[in-house]
C-alpha cells in the first residue's frame, strides 16, 4: 500500500458474548491517543452476528466511525473469512495502521493481514509513541520480557500490530462515533481452512485479565489437595485463581488458569504467589501487577525480586494463617 | 506422506537474557536449543508417521547460522529423516516475512527432489521473540491454508484434520493439503534420543542452501525487513520489597498480613 495514500487507524474489534473483548477496547483507546496526536481518525471494524450492541460500545470507546458487518455467515470466527473481510475494509479505508487485540485469534489475524498487505507486524506491543517521521514506534517484549525492543514499520503500510492485554488503559466515555452498517461477501476459494466443530471443555470462565486480585499457586503447593488453599484464599478475597505451567501440567487446576508467557498476562491490584519460584516465563506475566506478595521456602527464589512482600516460608503453613486472618479482618 | 518440519534454533529459554555491553541481547554464552514448540511439532510429525507405518518421510529445515547444524543433528536423532540448513549472511536481519520467503524458496528447491510436501509443521511461536508470525506468513506466500495452535493431527480423504487448542477447549479445523500447521504443547512430551539414534544422526549429512535459492533476494535480510529494530534495552526493574522471615511460618504470615493491611491492599 502506498504510504502517502494512507491515513487513520483501523482497529479490529473482537466480540465475545455480544460485547467487545477488553483488549479490543484498550486497542481502540490507544488508537485514539495516537490518532489524536496525528490529527487523524479511528475506524473500528466489528464483524460477526448480532453485533449491534458491540458496535455501539466501540463507538463510545474511542472510534470515530464503526464499520458494523452483521451477517450470519460471519457468526463464528474463521481466520480466512475474517482476514478477507478485513482486507476489503483495508483496501477501502487505506489505514495507516491496523491494531488488533492480542488474543489467540488476534495473534493469527494480524500476521495474516500483514502477509496479505506485504507489510510487517509488531507483536504483543506493550508501549508505543510516534517517531520524528510520524511512524509508530512499537515497544515489544523479547525473551519473555527480560528485554524490550523498539521497532518501526518504516515504509510498508499499513503498520500492523497486536496489542498486549492490559498494557494500555481503555477510555471511559470517549465520545460518540457513528456506526455504519456495511456488508461484504467472501469468495468460497478464499476459505482454505474450515472449522467443523467448536468444543468448550472448560465450562467455568476464568477472567484473569480483568481480575483485581489474583491468588496463584505453583509447584511448591505440592498436590491438588494442597492447591485448595490457593482457591480458598482467592474465594475469600473475591479474587481469581491463577497457576504456573507446572501446576497445570500436574493437573491441579485447569489450563485456563495459567498466568505467564504462554498463559495470560495479568495486571491486578494484588497478586499473591504461593509456592511459585518465579521462572522468567511466569514473571513476565505478572510484573504489571500493582502489588505482589510471594510465599516461597527458598529465600533465593527469583519471585522475591519482584515481590513487594516476600514471605520466606512454607506456603502450606503460611496460607492457613493468612486465610484465618483475612476472615478476622472481614468480620470486623 | 511427505512431511516438512521447520525449526528455529534459540537460546535455552530457562536462562534469563539481559543486555550486553554492546547494547544487544547477551545470548552468545547461552546454550542454543531447538525452539520448544518446534520440538513439539517434530514429535507430532514423528508420531503421525509412526501411526501411518508407511514410507512417509520427515524433512527438517532450519533457517539460521551455521552453528544451527547442531540443532538439526538433534532433530535427526528424534524423528527427522533428512535435514537442511538455509544459511547465508544475506539472510541476517530477516523479519518473519523474510524468513517465510527463505522457507518458501527452500521448499521449492526441496520439492524438486522430494516431490510436493503434504504437511508443513512448525512451532506456534519461538521462545525468543514469541511472534508467532512465520508460519502464517509462510502459508500466505505458499497460498495454502494454515491451522495454528495444533495439538493433534490426522489426514482423512486428502484433507488435514487438526485439533486447534483454544482458551476454553478446542476447535476441529479442516484444510486441503498442503497445509501449514503451527503446533502448541500437546499432552505429551518430545522423546529423548536413544544413543543409537544419536550416533546415526551424527553421521548423517546436513545439506545447505544459500541465497542462490532466492527468487527475489530483495525480500529478505535487513533490506527486505518490513519491521525495523530501533533499539533493545532492559525494562526498568521492579524493586524488590521487604522479605519477611520470622521465627515460625505462622509469625511470618501474621507480620505479612499486618503489612498488607498497612499498604491498604487487603479490603
Amino acid at each position: 500500500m502506498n504510504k502517502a495514500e494512507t491515513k487513520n487507524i483501523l482497529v479490529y474489534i473482537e466480540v465475545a458474548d455480544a460485547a467487545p473483548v477488553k483488549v479490543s477496547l484498550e486497542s481502540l483507546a490507544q488508537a485514539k491517543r495516537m490518532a489524536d496526536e496525528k490529527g487523524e481518525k479511528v475506524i473500528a471494524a466489528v464483524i460477526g452476528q448480532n453485533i449491534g450492541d458491540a458496535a455501539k460500545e466501540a463507538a463510545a470507546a474511542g472510534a470515530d466511525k464503526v464499520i458494523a458487518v452483521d451477517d450470519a455467515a460471519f457468526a463464528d470466527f474463521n481466520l480466512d473469512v475474517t482476514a478477507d473481510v478485513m482486507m476489503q475494509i483495508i483496501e477501502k479505508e487505506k489505514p495507516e495502521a491496523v491494531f488488533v487485540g492480542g488474543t489467540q485469534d488476534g495473534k493469527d489475524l494480524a500476521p495474516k493481514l500483514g502477509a496479505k498487505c506485504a507489510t510487517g507486524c509488531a507483536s504483543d506491543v506493550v508501549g508505543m509513541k510516534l517517531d520524528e517521521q510520524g511512524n509508530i514506534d512499537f515497544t515489544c517484549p523479547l525473551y519473555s520480557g527480560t528485554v524490550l525492543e523498539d521497532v518501526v514499520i518504516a515504509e510498508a503500510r499499513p503498520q500492523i500490530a497486536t496489542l498486549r492485554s492490559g498494557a494500555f488503559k481503555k477510555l471511559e466515555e470517549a465520545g460518540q462515533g457513528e456506526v455504519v452498517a456495511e456488508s461484504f461477501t467472501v469468495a468460497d476459494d478464499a476459505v482454505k481452512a474450515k472449522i467443523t466443530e467448536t468444543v468448550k471443555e472448560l465450562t467455568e470462565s476464568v477472567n484473569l485479565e480483568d481480575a483485581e486480585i489474583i491468588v496463584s499457586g505453583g509447584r511448591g503447593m505440592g498436590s491438588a489437595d494442597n492447591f485448595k488453599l490457593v482457591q480458598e484464599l482467592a474465594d475469600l478475597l473475591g479474587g481469581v485463581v491463577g497457576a504456573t505451567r507446572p501446576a497445570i501440567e500436574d493437573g491441579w487446576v485447569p489450563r485456563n488458569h495459567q498466568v505467564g508467557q504462554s498463559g495470560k498476562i495479568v495486571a491486578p491490584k494484588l497478586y499473591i504467589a504461593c509456592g511459585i519460584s518465579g521462572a522468567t516465563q511466569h514473571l513476565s506475566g505478572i510484573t504489571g501487577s500493582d502489588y505482589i506478595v510471594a510465599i516461597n521456602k527458598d529465600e533465593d527464589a527469583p519471585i522475591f525480586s519482584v515481590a513487594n512482600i516476600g514471605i520466606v516460608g512454607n506456603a502450606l503453613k503460611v496460607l492457613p494463617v493468612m486465610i484465618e486472618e483475612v476472615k478476622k479482618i472481614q468480620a470486623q | 506422506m511427505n512431511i516438512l518440519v521447520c525449526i528455529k534454533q534459540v537460546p535455552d529459554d530457562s536462562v534469563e537474557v539481559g543486555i550486553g555491553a554492546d547494547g544487544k541481547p547477551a545470548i552468545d554464552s547461552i546454550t542454543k536449543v531447538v525452539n520448544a514448540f518446534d520440538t513439539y511439532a517434530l514429535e507430532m510429525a514423528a508420531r503421525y508417521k509412526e501411526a501411518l507405518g508407511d514410507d512417509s518421510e520427515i524433512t527438517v529445515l532450519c533457517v539460521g547460522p551455521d552453528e544451527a547444524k547442531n540443532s538439526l543433528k538433534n532433530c535427526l536423532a528424534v524423528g527427522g529423516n533428512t535435514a537442511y540448513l538455509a544459511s547465508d549472511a544475506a539472510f541476517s536481519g530477516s523479519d518473519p516475512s523474510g524468513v517465510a520467503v527463505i522457507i518458501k524458496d527452500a521448499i521449492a528447491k526441496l520439492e524438486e527432489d522430494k516431490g510436493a510436501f503434504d504437511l508443513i509443521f512448525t512451532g506456534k511461536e519461538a521462545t525468543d521473540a514469541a511472534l508467532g508470525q512465520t508460519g502464517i506468513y509462510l502459508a500466505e506466500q505458499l497460498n495454502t491454508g494454515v491451522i495454528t495452535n495444533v495439538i493433534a493431527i490426522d489426514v482423512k480423504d486428502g484433507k488435514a484434520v487438526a485439533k486447534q487448542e483454544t482458551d476454553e477447549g478446542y476447535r476441529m479445523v479442516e484444510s486441503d493439503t498442503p497445509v501449514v500447521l503451527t503446533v502448541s504443547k500437546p499432552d505429551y512430551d518430545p522423546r529423548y534420543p536413544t544413543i543409537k539414534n544419536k550416533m546415526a544422526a551424527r553421521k548423517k549429512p546436513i545439506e545447505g542452501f544459500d541465497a542462490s535459492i532466492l527468487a527475489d533476494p530483495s525480500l529478505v535480510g535487513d533490506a527486505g525487513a518490513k519491521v525495523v529494530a530501533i533499539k533493545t534495552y532492559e525494562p526498568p526493574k521492579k524493586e524488590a520489597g521487604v522479605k519477611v522471615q520470622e521465627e515460625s511460618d505462622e509469625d511470618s504470615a501474621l507480620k505479612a498480613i499486618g503489612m498488607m493491611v498497612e499498604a491498604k491492599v487487603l479490603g
Side-chain angles (χ1 to χ4, degrees):
Chain A
M1 207 162 268
N2 183 348
K3 187 174 174 179
E5 282 179 9
T6 60
K7 67 170 181 186
N8 302 329
I9 300 177
L10 175 66
V11 182
Y12 170 73
I13 306 294
E14 184 173 328
V15 177
D17 302 323
V21 300
K22 188 176 161 227
V23 66
S24 288
L25 296 178
E26 291 166 356
S27 303
L28 206 47
Q30 186 58 22
K32 183 167 170 57
R33 290 180 198 112
M34 303 309 288
D36 281 352
E37 216 173 311
K38 294 202 80 172
E40 294 185 352
K41 303 247 179 264
V42 176
I43 303 160
V46 189
I47 302 163
Q49 188 181 19
N50 300 328
I51 43 95
D53 289 344
K56 279 184 204 153
E57 207 176 319
D64 295 291
K65 177 169 90 169
V66 179
I67 299 171
V69 187
D70 202 331
D71 192 325
F74 308 144
D76 295 313
F77 180 87
N78 172 292
L79 179 59
D80 293 326
V81 172
T82 308
D84 193 90
V85 173
M86 282 297 288
M87 275 310 292
Q88 295 183 51
I89 294 173
I90 288 170
E91 277 160 15
K92 202 167 144 193
E93 302 290 340
K94 297 188 170 49
E96 185 177 24
V98 180
F99 291 176
V100 181
T103 61
Q104 180 178 339
D105 288 335
K107 284 179 179 175
D108 287 351
L109 178 62
K112 189 86 182 164
L113 297 175
K116 283 179 184 290
C117 298
T119 184
C121 179
S123 272
D124 207 17
V125 171
V126 295
M128 64 176 85
K129 58 178 184 283
L130 285 179
D131 75 4
E132 284 165 8
Q133 285 77 40
N135 295 314
I136 305 174
D137 182 310
F138 298 105
T139 302
C140 307
L142 293 180
Y143 305 106
S144 300
T146 58
V147 170
L148 296 176
E149 181 173 53
D150 286 1
V151 301
V152 295
I153 300 162
E155 296 303 324
R157 287 294 179 270
Q159 306 160 83
I160 298 181
T162 59
L163 278 60
R164 175 181 280 197
S165 176
F168 302 95
K169 294 269 178 277
K170 60 180 182 180
L171 295 165
E172 307 294 342
E173 303 299 316
Q176 199 50 58
E178 56 165 345
V179 177
V180 182
E182 293 192 25
S183 56
F184 297 93
T185 50
V186 174
D188 284 346
D189 64 359
V191 187
K192 298 204 165 57
K194 291 191 177 74
I195 298 165
T196 56
E197 194 186 358
T198 299
V199 178
K200 281 194 179 185
E201 288 174 312
L202 308 168
T203 46
E204 173 213 15
S205 74
V206 180
N207 195 344
L208 285 160
E209 288 110 316
D210 292 346
E212 296 209 336
I213 296 179
I214 295 173
V215 185
S216 274
R219 183 166 271 159
M221 291 309 296
S223 71
D225 213 34
N226 293 340
F227 204 90
K228 288 179 187 151
L229 289 168
V230 173
Q231 178 83 53
E232 195 180 344
L233 183 58
D235 289 348
L236 205 53
L237 294 170
V240 176
V241 171
T244 62
R245 186 161 141 176
I248 281 154
E249 287 187 347
D250 285 344
W252 302 343
V253 60
R255 65 181 161 79
N256 51 350
H257 289 270
Q258 190 176 338
V259 173
Q261 182 72 19
S262 46
K264 291 284 181 283
I265 309 292
V266 300
K269 290 186 173 144
L270 174 62
Y271 189 89
I272 304 180
C274 313
I276 293 174
S277 61
T280 49
Q281 289 78 6
H282 185 75
L283 294 187
S284 69
I286 68 167
T287 43
S289 309
D290 290 342
Y291 202 89
I292 298 175
V293 177
I295 312 165
N296 203 291
K297 277 192 273 198
D298 175 9
E299 66 175 311
D300 296 323
I303 188 84
F304 290 133
S305 69
V306 299
N308 298 73
I309 301 178
I311 306 169
V312 184
N314 183 345
L316 304 182
K317 290 192 173 153
V318 172
L319 276 172
V321 179
M322 287 181 92
I323 288 166
E324 287 314 308
E325 287 302 306
V326 170
K327 280 183 188 164
K328 279 186 208 164
I329 293 168
Q330 288 179 342
Q332 279 168 18
Chain B
M1 259 327 125
N2 196 5
I3 299 170
L4 178 70
V5 180
C6 303
I7 66 143
K8 182 181 185 185
Q9 180 172 280
V10 296
D12 179 350
D13 70 329
S14 64
V15 181
E16 191 174 324
V17 177
I19 294 288
D22 59 354
K24 294 189 174 133
I27 55 170
D28 287 353
S29 61
I30 301 173
T31 310
K32 304 299 185 294
V33 297
V34 182
N35 167 41
F37 290 104
D38 298 340
T39 68
Y40 308 149
L42 177 57
E43 180 64 30
M44 189 177 289
R47 285 179 182 226
Y48 184 59
K49 179 190 145 155
E50 284 158 7
L52 291 174
D54 58 13
D55 60 352
S56 292
E57 195 186 308
I58 298 175
T59 304
V60 186
L61 172 67
C62 176
V63 178
D66 199 53
E67 55 165 12
K69 276 185 181 163
N70 291 330
S71 287
L72 284 168
K73 292 267 183 194
N74 292 339
C75 293
L76 288 172
V78 288
N81 298 110
T82 56
Y84 296 81
L85 176 68
S87 189
D88 197 301
F91 297 164
S92 165
S94 297
D95 67 2
S97 73
V99 174
V101 165
I102 299 165
I103 295 173
K104 183 192 71 157
D105 288 342
I107 285 174
K109 265 284 181 250
L110 288 167
E111 289 186 336
E112 285 175 11
D113 294 331
K114 295 172 182 280
F117 289 110
D118 302 297
L119 303 175
I120 299 165
F121 285 91
T122 191
K124 72 159 188 167
E125 64 189 31
T127 54
D128 53 0
L131 302 176
Q133 297 182 11
T134 306
I136 294 169
Y137 271 91
L138 176 64
E140 193 64 28
Q141 289 170 6
L142 291 169
N143 198 25
T144 69
V146 57
I147 309 175
T148 61
N149 294 284
V150 172
I151 49 171
I153 181 70
D154 198 3
V155 178
K156 283 181 191 156
D157 306 325
K159 278 184 188 297
V161 182
K163 190 173 180 180
Q164 176 183 56
E165 185 177 53
T166 63
D167 279 354
E168 295 164 317
Y170 63 89
R171 296 173 183 148
M172 297 307 298
V173 189
E174 219 178 75
S175 170
D176 287 334
T177 57
V179 61
V180 175
L181 306 161
T182 81
V183 175
S184 185
K185 172 80 175 68
D187 58 4
Y188 49 76
D189 288 310
R191 68 196 64 189
Y192 286 101
T194 61
I195 291 176
K196 191 176 145 216
N197 287 348
K198 248 185 170 165
M199 300 289 281
R202 236 177 260 169
K203 286 182 197 140
K204 282 193 189 172
I206 307 265
E207 289 179 54
F209 295 122
D210 60 19
S212 66
I213 62 167
L214 297 175
D216 182 354
S218 74
L219 297 174
V220 312
D222 282 316
K226 314 283 192 294
V227 182
V228 184
I230 303 297
K231 60 171 177 176
T232 51
Y233 50 97
E234 287 181 18
K237 287 254 185 293
K238 206 178 152 83
E239 269 182 52
V242 186
K243 267 191 196 164
V244 177
Q245 190 169 21
E246 301 296 300
E247 287 284 306
S248 71
D249 288 343
E250 288 75 11
D251 289 345
S252 297
L254 290 172
K255 185 171 178 190
I257 285 282
M259 292 164 72
M260 287 162 76
V261 170
E262 208 163 295
K264 295 189 170 65
V265 293
L266 274 186

